Amino acid sequence: MAKIATELQTLLRNIDRRGYPAYKDTKGSYNFGRYILSIDHVQGDPFAAPSKVSIHIAGKEAGFPVEYYGKRERRIALQDYLLRLFRKEVDKYNFKAKGSGKSGLMSASRPGQEVLERTACEMDAATGDLTVRLEVGFPANGRTICSYELIKILFDFLPKCVQDVLYYKRLDSREVEETMFLADDRKYIRDGLEGWGLVAFVANGSVLPRESGVSDKPMKNSVTFTSPASMEIELQLPHKGAVKGMGIRKGITLIVGGGYHGKSTLLKALELGVYDHIAGDGREYVITAPDAVKIRAEDGRCVKKDDISMFVNNLPNGKQTADFYTEDASGSTSQAANVIEAMESGASLLLIDEDTCATNFMVRDELMQRVVHRDKEPITPFIERARHLYEKRGISCVIVAGSSGAYFHIADQIVQMDNYVPQEITALAKEEAAKYPVLLLPEQEPGGPDYRRAPGAGGARHGGGAGHRGGRGGNDRNGGDRDSRVKIKGMGKEAVSLNKETVDLRYVEQIADSEQVMTLGYLLAYAEGNLFNGRDTMQKAVDTLMDMIEKKGLASVVPGSYLPSGLALPRRQEIFACFNRYRNLKL
Ligand code: ADP
Ligand code: MG
């Protein structure tokens, strides 16, 4: 039960000027009338990671209409909207309270352009109960408590932040409604793609390029997107009404054009089109099949017994490619593994940019085919498998290929980027291609791949078992300390480490946020301690994990008595990507 807020104030007054550990007594829940303040974790000293605080508002109090949070897409959009408002308020008070180190810090999650489900702001789909999580640096001078500064934060600043943005009555109801409408319209397109025979839609007027390499904001004064007439479709969105744009049909789509004409920019927009974007982003109506995966070469990655025999066979060193294992893959084998793992994750669309491909994985030209016989070449290039992937397995691809015409032969539609404006040139390109020898395809259709590999229980190498709240106690073979937890550290969008083992995620390009990376760390630790058992396949483990998150929330897989504020949900595809790059995976 929550105590009353004045109890907290009295407690704080009493511990003023005492040693920092006295702050620990503040842990607990306090009733502030219209909300509950919960102090979930108290930092050890003013220089340590800040304390964790959460705000809980009953659905009735928050007052949002049930039709705004009952459905998933709307709820996530609303949470995202509220978090952005809250963040802005909190920023005003950051370090307004004074002291040493992180004293006075007030910080909520900082979302980028994507709308993601985050622990920083969660609304219960049934009750509308709202939870907002933030970090607060409890103030001190040196290690001497300045509790009057904390009283300012908890009894003055924070109530102001909460009252202005977390109650429906205080908000601009039109803007909230528009946020809901945008969520509906995006969902309408995403759900519709499959039935319309499309893998992606790019609305006319979209702004695809970003401000700079370090800013995800839309580029100003760019050439806005216009569909080629032949590929233009008109959709009737539930709220916005008629919207025209380019429909990329299922099959093999080629994007060609001279250097610097906007090919990679279009592909990048498609990669991130698996996520929803906020109003004003320019990519609100750039919508890609939700399971699309970017494929690239990734020299040096580990490959854990993938069946890459569809692309690589008869290696000179005799290595088996039906369960290919390496700690240091080449350009082509890494790219083959990336394709197989995307298939394993259920991708229906592969996105490929020649800028980041291994050439020998993509094509083998005719002259080379004549000189070096097929039997002497372990690699069956992607060009010889792409039609099979589409026709027999329903996997489409969009390929940026500015320098090789070979793909003209197998493409279903060909788009040329010309000064950032796409033109469809399928007929012309096919006519030219007909003058060249046809592509020789391998006689045998590939079987497989076999996804039966089953990772074993892990955590042994570094001695720490994964202790998980409510779990099966993790793996405590090594000394049996049930409380010892895997130490998880995120490094931006680049990597996450479990204990000392780093998982390199630099080339997993559809990770949109560092908070997804942190979550991936927790998910991997959970899977290693609880799901990997040497019998269940990787697919089964990921299915189980996703099912748990869906039914019981992230709290069911993240250890500890409270949820950290900085977690965002990754897609199923990135969960596979992370697990597959874990060098400690027992296989
Ligand atoms: P390509 O892959 O064809 O070589 P890029 O997509 O990398 O070309 O684009 C080249 C440059 O043009 C980039 O700096 C990008 O930001 C810019 N750019 C891309 N699309 C547009 C656009 N629609 N309007 C203005 N600039 C653009
Ligand atoms: Mg490019």
Tab-separated table of all heavy atoms in Angstrom, residues 206-212 219-225 256-267 353 355 400 417 419-421, ligand 1:
chain	number	residue	atom	x	y	z
A	206	SER	N	6.486	12.298	-49.735
A	206	SER	CA	7.333	11.877	-48.610
A	206	SER	C	8.707	12.534	-48.706
A	206	SER	O	9.202	12.806	-49.801
A	206	SER	CB	7.532	10.358	-48.619
A	206	SER	OG	6.311	9.694	-48.378
A	207	VAL	N	9.302	12.762	-47.543
A	207	VAL	CA	10.675	13.263	-47.494
A	207	VAL	C	11.550	12.109	-47.024
A	207	VAL	O	11.464	11.687	-45.870
A	207	VAL	CB	10.807	14.452	-46.517
A	207	VAL	CG1	12.256	14.914	-46.427
A	207	VAL	CG2	9.894	15.594	-46.952
A	208	LEU	N	12.381	11.587	-47.919
A	208	LEU	CA	13.189	10.417	-47.575
A	208	LEU	C	14.554	10.771	-46.994
A	208	LEU	O	14.974	10.159	-46.020
A	208	LEU	CB	13.364	9.505	-48.799
A	208	LEU	CG	12.079	9.077	-49.511
A	208	LEU	CD1	12.386	8.025	-50.573
A	208	LEU	CD2	11.049	8.531	-48.532
A	209	PRO	N	15.296	11.735	-47.569
A	209	PRO	CA	16.646	11.966	-47.042
A	209	PRO	C	16.601	12.608	-45.659
A	209	PRO	O	15.645	13.316	-45.336
A	209	PRO	CB	17.283	12.917	-48.058
A	209	PRO	CG	16.132	13.614	-48.707
A	209	PRO	CD	14.998	12.633	-48.713
A	210	ARG	N	17.637	12.344	-44.892
A	210	ARG	CA	17.733	12.904	-43.535
A	210	ARG	C	18.652	14.107	-43.549
A	210	ARG	O	19.455	14.298	-44.458
A	210	ARG	CB	18.231	11.841	-42.562
A	210	ARG	CG	17.356	10.603	-42.480
A	210	ARG	CD	16.001	10.876	-41.867
A	210	ARG	NE	14.944	11.150	-42.824
A	210	ARG	CZ	13.726	11.612	-42.486
A	210	ARG	NH1	13.430	11.884	-41.241
A	210	ARG	NH2	12.818	11.830	-43.417
A	211	GLU	N	18.564	14.879	-42.493
A	211	GLU	CA	19.294	16.140	-42.403
A	211	GLU	C	20.799	15.949	-42.576
A	211	GLU	O	21.465	16.695	-43.277
A	211	GLU	CB	18.994	16.747	-41.039
A	211	GLU	CG	19.186	18.220	-40.931
A	211	GLU	CD	18.550	18.728	-39.633
A	211	GLU	OE1	18.948	18.282	-38.548
A	211	GLU	OE2	17.636	19.550	-39.730
A	212	SER	N	21.335	14.913	-41.891
A	212	SER	CA	22.772	14.653	-41.991
A	212	SER	C	23.038	13.250	-41.477
A	212	SER	O	22.118	12.570	-41.020
A	212	SER	CB	23.553	15.652	-41.135
A	212	SER	OG	23.379	15.332	-39.765
A	219	MET	N	15.450	16.123	-44.160
A	219	MET	CA	16.277	17.126	-44.827
A	219	MET	C	15.376	18.264	-45.290
A	219	MET	O	14.287	18.037	-45.806
A	219	MET	CB	16.962	16.487	-46.040
A	219	MET	CG	17.834	17.433	-46.837
A	219	MET	SD	18.399	16.676	-48.370
A	219	MET	CE	19.857	15.824	-47.803
A	220	LYS	N	15.869	19.479	-45.087
A	220	LYS	CA	15.072	20.621	-45.545
A	220	LYS	C	15.303	20.847	-47.041
A	220	LYS	O	16.387	20.579	-47.550
A	220	LYS	CB	15.467	21.872	-44.751
A	220	LYS	CG	15.057	21.760	-43.294
A	220	LYS	CD	15.381	23.036	-42.510
A	220	LYS	CE	15.143	22.806	-41.030
A	220	LYS	NZ	16.362	22.328	-40.322
A	221	ASN	N	14.298	21.349	-47.715
A	221	ASN	CA	14.384	21.665	-49.144
A	221	ASN	C	14.863	20.498	-50.002
A	221	ASN	O	15.632	20.681	-50.938
A	221	ASN	CB	15.328	22.863	-49.380
A	221	ASN	CG	14.938	24.053	-48.541
A	221	ASN	OD1	13.756	24.371	-48.422
A	221	ASN	ND2	15.919	24.702	-47.923
A	222	SER	N	14.443	19.310	-49.664
A	222	SER	CA	14.839	18.168	-50.482
A	222	SER	C	13.821	17.998	-51.604
A	222	SER	O	12.785	18.661	-51.634
A	222	SER	CB	14.862	16.912	-49.621
A	222	SER	OG	13.553	16.603	-49.206
A	223	VAL	N	14.141	17.112	-52.531
A	223	VAL	CA	13.186	16.762	-53.579
A	223	VAL	C	12.215	15.751	-52.981
A	223	VAL	O	12.629	14.659	-52.584
A	223	VAL	CB	13.914	16.134	-54.792
A	223	VAL	CG1	12.909	15.738	-55.863
A	223	VAL	CG2	14.966	17.086	-55.327
A	224	THR	N	10.945	16.114	-52.877
A	224	THR	CA	9.998	15.179	-52.259
A	224	THR	C	9.689	14.045	-53.230
A	224	THR	O	9.878	14.171	-54.440
A	224	THR	CB	8.692	15.887	-51.844
A	224	THR	OG1	8.146	16.525	-52.984
A	224	THR	CG2	8.953	16.914	-50.750
A	225	PHE	N	9.217	12.964	-52.670
A	225	PHE	CA	9.042	11.750	-53.458
A	225	PHE	C	7.836	11.842	-54.390
A	225	PHE	O	6.774	12.314	-54.013
A	225	PHE	CB	8.876	10.556	-52.520
A	225	PHE	CG	8.896	9.241	-53.235
A	225	PHE	CD1	10.099	8.618	-53.539
A	225	PHE	CD2	7.711	8.634	-53.628
A	225	PHE	CE1	10.124	7.413	-54.218
A	225	PHE	CE2	7.723	7.417	-54.308
A	225	PHE	CZ	8.927	6.811	-54.597
A	256	VAL	N	17.952	1.104	-59.917
A	256	VAL	CA	19.206	1.446	-60.580
A	256	VAL	C	19.314	2.960	-60.674
A	256	VAL	O	18.423	3.685	-60.215
A	256	VAL	CB	19.289	0.802	-61.983
A	256	VAL	CG1	19.189	-0.712	-61.889
A	256	VAL	CG2	18.189	1.346	-62.897
A	257	GLY	N	20.396	3.417	-61.302
A	257	GLY	CA	20.575	4.861	-61.455
A	257	GLY	C	22.016	5.229	-61.155
A	257	GLY	O	22.757	4.451	-60.559
A	258	GLY	N	22.406	6.399	-61.597
A	258	GLY	CA	23.775	6.849	-61.406
A	258	GLY	C	24.083	7.101	-59.943
A	258	GLY	O	23.170	7.215	-59.123
A	259	GLY	N	25.377	7.173	-59.671
A	259	GLY	CA	25.809	7.449	-58.311
A	259	GLY	C	25.236	8.780	-57.841
A	259	GLY	O	25.092	9.718	-58.619
A	260	TYR	N	24.827	8.830	-56.583
A	260	TYR	CA	24.364	10.070	-55.973
A	260	TYR	C	22.970	10.485	-56.416
A	260	TYR	O	22.532	11.601	-56.183
A	260	TYR	CB	25.356	11.217	-56.251
A	260	TYR	CG	25.651	12.008	-55.014
A	260	TYR	CD1	26.372	11.447	-53.959
A	260	TYR	CD2	25.197	13.310	-54.881
A	260	TYR	CE1	26.622	12.166	-52.807
A	260	TYR	CE2	25.444	14.042	-53.733
A	260	TYR	CZ	26.153	13.476	-52.700
A	260	TYR	OH	26.389	14.193	-51.572
A	261	HIS	N	22.208	9.575	-57.045
A	261	HIS	CA	20.866	9.940	-57.498
A	261	HIS	C	19.761	9.539	-56.520
A	261	HIS	O	18.589	9.670	-56.826
A	261	HIS	CB	20.599	9.365	-58.894
A	261	HIS	CG	21.203	10.196	-59.989
A	261	HIS	ND1	20.473	11.072	-60.762
A	261	HIS	CD2	22.484	10.312	-60.405
A	261	HIS	CE1	21.270	11.685	-61.620
A	261	HIS	NE2	22.502	11.239	-61.428
A	262	GLY	N	20.165	9.010	-55.353
A	262	GLY	CA	19.159	8.771	-54.317
A	262	GLY	C	18.721	7.329	-54.142
A	262	GLY	O	17.707	7.066	-53.498
A	263	LYS	N	19.495	6.379	-54.665
A	263	LYS	CA	19.115	4.956	-54.554
A	263	LYS	C	19.160	4.476	-53.103
A	263	LYS	O	18.197	3.909	-52.595
A	263	LYS	CB	20.058	4.073	-55.402
A	263	LYS	CG	20.115	4.429	-56.868
A	263	LYS	CD	21.014	3.486	-57.646
A	263	LYS	CE	22.482	3.514	-57.221
A	263	LYS	NZ	23.159	4.797	-57.457
A	264	SER	N	20.307	4.697	-52.469
A	264	SER	CA	20.466	4.199	-51.091
A	264	SER	C	19.506	4.902	-50.140
A	264	SER	O	19.027	4.308	-49.173
A	264	SER	CB	21.905	4.399	-50.608
A	264	SER	OG	22.789	3.641	-51.415
A	265	THR	N	19.220	6.166	-50.436
A	265	THR	CA	18.287	6.909	-49.580
A	265	THR	C	16.895	6.281	-49.629
A	265	THR	O	16.226	6.143	-48.595
A	265	THR	CB	18.224	8.380	-50.034
A	265	THR	OG1	19.549	8.915	-49.988
A	265	THR	CG2	17.322	9.198	-49.134
A	266	LEU	N	16.473	5.863	-50.811
A	266	LEU	CA	15.181	5.189	-50.939
A	266	LEU	C	15.202	3.861	-50.185
A	266	LEU	O	14.277	3.533	-49.433
A	266	LEU	CB	14.847	4.967	-52.429
A	266	LEU	CG	13.627	4.095	-52.732
A	266	LEU	CD1	12.360	4.645	-52.079
A	266	LEU	CD2	13.415	3.966	-54.246
A	267	LEU	N	16.292	3.112	-50.369
A	267	LEU	CA	16.356	1.807	-49.700
A	267	LEU	C	16.350	1.960	-48.184
A	267	LEU	O	15.675	1.225	-47.467
A	267	LEU	CB	17.587	1.016	-50.145
A	267	LEU	CG	17.473	-0.457	-49.749
A	267	LEU	CD1	16.575	-1.216	-50.716
A	267	LEU	CD2	18.823	-1.138	-49.640
A	353	ASP	N	21.538	-3.547	-50.729
A	353	ASP	CA	22.190	-2.408	-51.377
A	353	ASP	C	23.582	-2.834	-51.819
A	353	ASP	O	24.398	-3.242	-50.990
A	353	ASP	CB	22.280	-1.233	-50.384
A	353	ASP	CG	22.706	0.064	-51.070
A	353	ASP	OD1	23.422	-0.007	-52.096
A	353	ASP	OD2	22.330	1.142	-50.567
A	355	ASP	N	26.098	-1.306	-52.372
A	355	ASP	CA	27.182	-0.609	-51.665
A	355	ASP	C	27.744	-1.461	-50.528
A	355	ASP	O	28.904	-1.318	-50.152
A	355	ASP	CB	26.677	0.699	-51.028
A	355	ASP	CG	26.372	1.772	-52.061
A	355	ASP	OD1	26.583	1.509	-53.257
A	355	ASP	OD2	25.915	2.858	-51.662
A	400	VAL	N	19.249	-2.634	-54.707
A	400	VAL	CA	19.886	-1.478	-55.318
A	400	VAL	C	21.113	-1.973	-56.076
A	400	VAL	O	22.003	-2.580	-55.482
A	400	VAL	CB	20.330	-0.451	-54.254
A	400	VAL	CG1	21.235	0.604	-54.878
A	400	VAL	CG2	19.117	0.192	-53.606
A	417	MET	N	16.459	5.721	-60.458
A	417	MET	CA	16.446	6.986	-59.733
A	417	MET	C	17.185	8.004	-60.585
A	417	MET	O	18.325	7.783	-60.985
A	417	MET	CB	17.140	6.847	-58.367
A	417	MET	CG	16.419	5.950	-57.373
A	417	MET	SD	14.728	6.454	-57.032
A	417	MET	CE	15.000	7.919	-56.048
A	419	ASN	N	17.985	12.016	-60.521
A	419	ASN	CA	17.892	13.253	-59.728
A	419	ASN	C	16.836	13.149	-58.633
A	419	ASN	O	16.023	14.055	-58.461
A	419	ASN	CB	17.594	14.444	-60.638
A	419	ASN	CG	18.813	14.846	-61.425
A	419	ASN	OD1	19.825	15.229	-60.853
A	419	ASN	ND2	18.741	14.700	-62.737
A	420	TYR	N	16.855	12.032	-57.934
A	420	TYR	CA	15.963	11.762	-56.800
A	420	TYR	C	14.520	11.489	-57.217
A	420	TYR	O	13.645	11.374	-56.367
A	420	TYR	CB	15.999	12.906	-55.765
A	420	TYR	CG	17.400	13.337	-55.419
A	420	TYR	CD1	17.793	14.667	-55.506
A	420	TYR	CD2	18.349	12.387	-55.019
A	420	TYR	CE1	19.097	15.043	-55.204
A	420	TYR	CE2	19.641	12.762	-54.721
A	420	TYR	CZ	20.011	14.093	-54.825
A	420	TYR	OH	21.301	14.461	-54.535
A	421	VAL	N	14.283	11.404	-58.514
A	421	VAL	CA	12.930	11.104	-58.982
A	421	VAL	C	12.935	9.711	-59.616
A	421	VAL	O	13.712	9.461	-60.537
A	421	VAL	CB	12.445	12.151	-60.016
A	421	VAL	CG1	11.037	11.802	-60.502
A	421	VAL	CG2	12.485	13.543	-59.410
B	1	ADP	P1	23.107	6.775	-54.378
B	1	ADP	O1	22.877	5.615	-53.472
B	1	ADP	O2	22.247	6.721	-55.593
B	1	ADP	O3	24.534	6.946	-54.736
B	1	ADP	P2	22.284	8.409	-52.139
B	1	ADP	O4	20.946	7.855	-51.840
B	1	ADP	O5	23.403	8.014	-51.248
B	1	ADP	O6	22.672	8.123	-53.641
B	1	ADP	O7	22.103	9.975	-52.132
B	1	ADP	C1	23.176	10.845	-52.398
B	1	ADP	C2	22.993	12.165	-51.647
B	1	ADP	O8	21.824	12.830	-52.065
B	1	ADP	C3	22.873	11.998	-50.152
B	1	ADP	O9	23.705	12.930	-49.523
B	1	ADP	C4	21.425	12.273	-49.851
B	1	ADP	O10	21.247	12.852	-48.586
B	1	ADP	C5	21.015	13.197	-50.965
B	1	ADP	N1	19.611	12.970	-51.320
B	1	ADP	C6	18.998	11.786	-51.440
B	1	ADP	N2	17.712	11.921	-51.776
B	1	ADP	C7	17.488	13.247	-51.884
B	1	ADP	C8	16.336	14.038	-52.182
B	1	ADP	N3	15.157	13.461	-52.468
B	1	ADP	N4	16.474	15.371	-52.184
B	1	ADP	C9	17.654	15.939	-51.907
B	1	ADP	N5	18.767	15.255	-51.594
B	1	ADP	C10	18.699	13.928	-51.589
